[in-house]
Amino acid sequence: MSEFNLTPTETLYYEFVTPKQGMQTYIFVNALTGNTEMWSGMICKDLQKAGYGTLCFNFRGQTNTTFSNETRLTPNLIVEDICALIEYVKPPSPILVGLSIGGLFAAQAHLAGCQAIGLVLINTLRKPSQRLDWINRAMVDLARIGGSGLVMKANLPVIASPPMIASLWDTTFNDDPPSPPPDNDGLFRLMEGSLMTDWDFSYEQLQIPVLILTGEYDRLFRIDNDIKELKGRIASVTEKRYLNAGHLIPLEEPAKLIEDLLGFAHRCVKEG
């Protein structure tokens, strides 16, 4: 558990374990309202047992980071921070793994100069559209009223598998009324900043192996025809569909995800 100083008053929180000699490092890029806990349990531990390195971190605005009230928490800033952290840590043979919008940030960071031997996109692929803009703006409006908790409550039925919905029912529906986020709340500022995201990404420029993972129960962002079109623009790509998971594959199917990540590392070495 470490801090990376971006400025005298702003820091990123990160966790890094070096790989065994000659092995690769998985770099995990959060979803917008996520944090390192998504990865640092079973997923990182099992990969480390297999000899791989792991690096997970939080964006400015996420838990255990520091940031000023004046800093605009925009997608461009996140990508710049990813590049700066990777340059600082220098993890051997990086494989970038991004969840949701985190996959887009990982891909953008790679094209911006971050070294990587492979890229894993988990429920990332989506095309710019008025529908996507509607979803993103509505999420910000919900968060303004009830924080990220209200956003999750509203979206869970269309992003999660039935078992996950069932497991969260009792803790979600209680007597606590929704409350707006505090002033200068980092997660809300990240959500506001995300409205500036450019989803028109040049997938043709990716010249490293890419693994696309999608969840059958992600009925909010998953559009099969869009995924097919975007996948077709990637030179070296494999797609796997999780029939029993939705948007949050690392929480819903961690064992299967670990298996697929291990297999992808072998592919990256073979193709490299």
Side-chain angles (χ1 to χ4, degrees):
M1 303 181 199
S2 303
E3 284 187 347
F4 171 49
N5 295 319
L6 295 158
T7 73
T9 59
E10 304 194 45
T11 61
L12 298 183
Y13 169 84
Y14 73 95
E15 301 172 13
F16 175 53
V17 173
T18 57
K20 291 183 178 178
Q21 184 69 31
M23 302 289 277
Q24 295 73 44
T25 306
Y26 294 91
I27 301 176
F28 295 103
V29 185
N30 295 333
L32 205 63
T33 58
N35 60 67
T36 56
E37 291 182 2
M38 177 76 72
W39 318 102
S40 61
M42 175 180 176
I43 293 171
C44 282
K45 289 177 181 177
D46 281 13
L47 293 174
Q48 291 161 11
K49 287 177 184 177
Y52 293 92
T54 61
L55 171 62
C56 52
F57 61 95
N58 290 335
F59 307 152
R60 273 189 265 191
Q62 294 179 339
T63 187
N64 294 328
T65 64
T66 58
F67 50 96
S68 73
N69 294 341
E70 292 74 30
T71 300
R72 299 184 67 195
L73 305 183
T74 64
N76 286 343
L77 181 76
I78 294 170
V79 172
E80 290 171 4
D81 287 353
I82 292 171
C83 292
L85 178 64
I86 292 175
E87 174 63 25
Y88 174 74
V89 176
K90 292 182 171 56
S93 300
I95 297 174
L96 294 165
V97 183
L99 172 62
S100 190
I101 198 173
L104 178 66
F105 295 152
Q108 291 173 331
H110 175 58
L111 291 193
C114 286
Q115 179 194 4
I117 64 168
L119 173 66
V120 182
L121 304 176
I122 305 175
N123 286 314
T124 293
L125 296 186
R126 60 199 79 161
K127 292 174 62 176
S129 67
Q130 191 173 50
R131 178 185 183 273
L132 181 59
D133 289 344
W134 185 296
I135 291 169
N136 294 334
R137 288 176 180 273
M139 286 186 183
V140 172
D141 287 344
L142 284 171
R144 187 176 286 109
I145 297 168
S148 59
L150 184 58
V151 174
M152 184 59 69
K153 182 184 287 188
N155 288 332
L156 199 70
V158 289
I159 66 169
S161 61
M164 187 172 187
I165 292 172
S167 70
L168 295 174
W169 181 277
D170 289 341
T171 55
T172 300
F173 292 100
N174 49 45
D175 295 330
D176 297 333
S179 57
D183 291 341
N184 294 313
D185 178 69
L187 291 184
F188 180 72
R189 288 171 58 189
L190 281 169
M191 293 187 69
E192 276 193 315
S194 74
L195 297 179
M196 301 173 62
T197 302
D198 183 5
W199 286 96
D200 189 16
F201 181 74
S202 299
Y203 291 96
E204 296 87 351
Q205 295 187 48
L206 294 172
Q207 298 301 314
I208 55 176
V210 176
L211 175 62
I212 295 169
L213 304 178
T214 62
E216 185 74 17
Y217 286 99
D218 185 355
R219 291 164 179 156
L220 185 64
F221 294 113
R222 180 190 176 91
I223 299 177
D224 285 342
N225 287 340
D226 290 353
I227 292 172
K228 182 179 179 180
E229 179 184 331
L230 297 175
K231 173 187 171 184
R233 292 163 52 186
I234 301 172
S236 177
V237 63
T238 302
E239 179 187 0
K240 293 192 176 184
R241 181 178 297 196
Y242 284 58
L243 299 180
N244 298 313
H247 193 69
L248 303 173
I249 288 174
L251 295 179
E252 297 174 274
E253 292 269 24
K256 189 173 187 304
L257 175 59
I258 292 165
E259 180 183 342
D260 285 335
L261 291 177
L262 291 172
F264 183 63
H266 297 310
R267 177 187 155 201
C268 291
V269 171
K270 184 178 179 180
E271 294 190 20

PDB file of all heavy atoms in Angstrom, residues 18-24 50-53 92-93:
ATOM      1  N   THR A  18       5.537  -7.132  -7.132  1.00  0.00           N
ATOM      2  CA  THR A  18       6.375  -7.432  -8.289  1.00  0.00           C
ATOM      3  C   THR A  18       6.202  -8.886  -8.715  1.00  0.00           C
ATOM      4  O   THR A  18       5.977  -9.769  -7.880  1.00  0.00           O
ATOM      5  CB  THR A  18       7.853  -7.172  -7.975  1.00  0.00           C
ATOM      6  OG1 THR A  18       8.227  -7.966  -6.843  1.00  0.00           O
ATOM      7  CG2 THR A  18       8.090  -5.716  -7.665  1.00  0.00           C
ATOM      8  N   PRO A  19       6.322  -9.159 -10.003  1.00  0.00           N
ATOM      9  CA  PRO A  19       6.208 -10.547 -10.476  1.00  0.00           C
ATOM     10  C   PRO A  19       7.496 -11.324 -10.248  1.00  0.00           C
ATOM     11  O   PRO A  19       8.560 -10.729  -9.992  1.00  0.00           O
ATOM     12  CB  PRO A  19       5.940 -10.375 -11.972  1.00  0.00           C
ATOM     13  CG  PRO A  19       6.654  -9.095 -12.320  1.00  0.00           C
ATOM     14  CD  PRO A  19       6.501  -8.203 -11.113  1.00  0.00           C
ATOM     15  N   LYS A  20       7.400 -12.629 -10.366  1.00  0.00           N
ATOM     16  CA  LYS A  20       8.605 -13.445 -10.381  1.00  0.00           C
ATOM     17  C   LYS A  20       9.390 -13.165 -11.663  1.00  0.00           C
ATOM     18  O   LYS A  20       8.849 -12.633 -12.629  1.00  0.00           O
ATOM     19  CB  LYS A  20       8.234 -14.930 -10.295  1.00  0.00           C
ATOM     20  CG  LYS A  20       7.649 -15.343  -8.950  1.00  0.00           C
ATOM     21  CD  LYS A  20       7.374 -16.831  -8.907  1.00  0.00           C
ATOM     22  CE  LYS A  20       6.823 -17.243  -7.544  1.00  0.00           C
ATOM     23  NZ  LYS A  20       6.507 -18.702  -7.490  1.00  0.00           N
ATOM     24  N   GLN A  21      10.650 -13.513 -11.648  1.00  0.00           N
ATOM     25  CA  GLN A  21      11.524 -13.234 -12.783  1.00  0.00           C
ATOM     26  C   GLN A  21      10.917 -13.763 -14.086  1.00  0.00           C
ATOM     27  O   GLN A  21      10.524 -14.934 -14.173  1.00  0.00           O
ATOM     28  CB  GLN A  21      12.896 -13.874 -12.556  1.00  0.00           C
ATOM     29  CG  GLN A  21      13.910 -13.576 -13.632  1.00  0.00           C
ATOM     30  CD  GLN A  21      14.340 -12.116 -13.618  1.00  0.00           C
ATOM     31  OE1 GLN A  21      14.357 -11.477 -12.569  1.00  0.00           O
ATOM     32  NE2 GLN A  21      14.696 -11.597 -14.781  1.00  0.00           N
ATOM     33  N   GLY A  22      10.817 -12.883 -15.078  1.00  0.00           N
ATOM     34  CA  GLY A  22      10.330 -13.292 -16.379  1.00  0.00           C
ATOM     35  C   GLY A  22       8.818 -13.336 -16.521  1.00  0.00           C
ATOM     36  O   GLY A  22       8.311 -13.663 -17.602  1.00  0.00           O
ATOM     37  N   MET A  23       8.075 -12.986 -15.460  1.00  0.00           N
ATOM     38  CA  MET A  23       6.611 -13.029 -15.490  1.00  0.00           C
ATOM     39  C   MET A  23       6.043 -11.641 -15.777  1.00  0.00           C
ATOM     40  O   MET A  23       6.743 -10.640 -15.740  1.00  0.00           O
ATOM     41  CB  MET A  23       6.073 -13.561 -14.165  1.00  0.00           C
ATOM     42  CG  MET A  23       6.590 -14.938 -13.798  1.00  0.00           C
ATOM     43  SD  MET A  23       5.907 -16.248 -14.830  1.00  0.00           S
ATOM     44  CE  MET A  23       4.348 -16.533 -14.000  1.00  0.00           C
ATOM     45  N   GLN A  24       4.738 -11.607 -16.028  1.00  0.00           N
ATOM     46  CA  GLN A  24       4.062 -10.372 -16.401  1.00  0.00           C
ATOM     47  C   GLN A  24       3.391  -9.708 -15.192  1.00  0.00           C
ATOM     48  O   GLN A  24       3.221 -10.320 -14.146  1.00  0.00           O
ATOM     49  CB  GLN A  24       3.007 -10.633 -17.482  1.00  0.00           C
ATOM     50  CG  GLN A  24       3.573 -11.103 -18.815  1.00  0.00           C
ATOM     51  CD  GLN A  24       4.074 -12.525 -18.783  1.00  0.00           C
ATOM     52  OE1 GLN A  24       3.425 -13.405 -18.233  1.00  0.00           O
ATOM     53  NE2 GLN A  24       5.239 -12.767 -19.372  1.00  0.00           N
ATOM     54  N   ALA A  50       0.409 -17.452  -8.630  1.00  0.00           N
ATOM     55  CA  ALA A  50       0.881 -18.044  -9.889  1.00  0.00           C
ATOM     56  C   ALA A  50       2.165 -17.387 -10.382  1.00  0.00           C
ATOM     57  O   ALA A  50       2.701 -17.764 -11.431  1.00  0.00           O
ATOM     58  CB  ALA A  50      -0.200 -17.931 -10.955  1.00  0.00           C
ATOM     59  N   GLY A  51       2.678 -16.389  -9.638  1.00  0.00           N
ATOM     60  CA  GLY A  51       3.942 -15.766  -9.980  1.00  0.00           C
ATOM     61  C   GLY A  51       3.835 -14.441 -10.703  1.00  0.00           C
ATOM     62  O   GLY A  51       4.861 -13.813 -11.000  1.00  0.00           O
ATOM     63  N   TYR A  52       2.617 -14.000 -10.974  1.00  0.00           N
ATOM     64  CA  TYR A  52       2.431 -12.745 -11.702  1.00  0.00           C
ATOM     65  C   TYR A  52       2.467 -11.554 -10.750  1.00  0.00           C
ATOM     66  O   TYR A  52       2.121 -11.664  -9.575  1.00  0.00           O
ATOM     67  CB  TYR A  52       1.112 -12.759 -12.465  1.00  0.00           C
ATOM     68  CG  TYR A  52       1.092 -13.766 -13.586  1.00  0.00           C
ATOM     69  CD1 TYR A  52       0.629 -15.056 -13.372  1.00  0.00           C
ATOM     70  CD2 TYR A  52       1.558 -13.432 -14.857  1.00  0.00           C
ATOM     71  CE1 TYR A  52       0.623 -15.998 -14.394  1.00  0.00           C
ATOM     72  CE2 TYR A  52       1.552 -14.360 -15.884  1.00  0.00           C
ATOM     73  CZ  TYR A  52       1.091 -15.647 -15.651  1.00  0.00           C
ATOM     74  OH  TYR A  52       1.099 -16.573 -16.662  1.00  0.00           O
ATOM     75  N   GLY A  53       2.843 -10.410 -11.275  1.00  0.00           N
ATOM     76  CA  GLY A  53       2.766  -9.172 -10.523  1.00  0.00           C
ATOM     77  C   GLY A  53       1.391  -8.551 -10.689  1.00  0.00           C
ATOM     78  O   GLY A  53       0.665  -8.847 -11.644  1.00  0.00           O
ATOM     79  N   PRO A  92       7.086  -4.719 -14.687  1.00  0.00           N
ATOM     80  CA  PRO A  92       7.579  -5.504 -15.826  1.00  0.00           C
ATOM     81  C   PRO A  92       6.439  -6.073 -16.680  1.00  0.00           C
ATOM     82  O   PRO A  92       5.417  -6.511 -16.151  1.00  0.00           O
ATOM     83  CB  PRO A  92       8.364  -6.638 -15.155  1.00  0.00           C
ATOM     84  CG  PRO A  92       8.648  -6.165 -13.773  1.00  0.00           C
ATOM     85  CD  PRO A  92       7.500  -5.290 -13.395  1.00  0.00           C
ATOM     86  N   SER A  93       6.608  -6.050 -17.979  1.00  0.00           N
ATOM     87  CA  SER A  93       5.697  -6.665 -18.948  1.00  0.00           C
ATOM     88  C   SER A  93       4.236  -6.429 -18.593  1.00  0.00           C
ATOM     89  O   SER A  93       3.498  -7.355 -18.261  1.00  0.00           O
ATOM     90  CB  SER A  93       5.968  -8.175 -19.026  1.00  0.00           C
ATOM     91  OG  SER A  93       7.288  -8.437 -19.419  1.00  0.00           O
TER      92      SER A  93
END
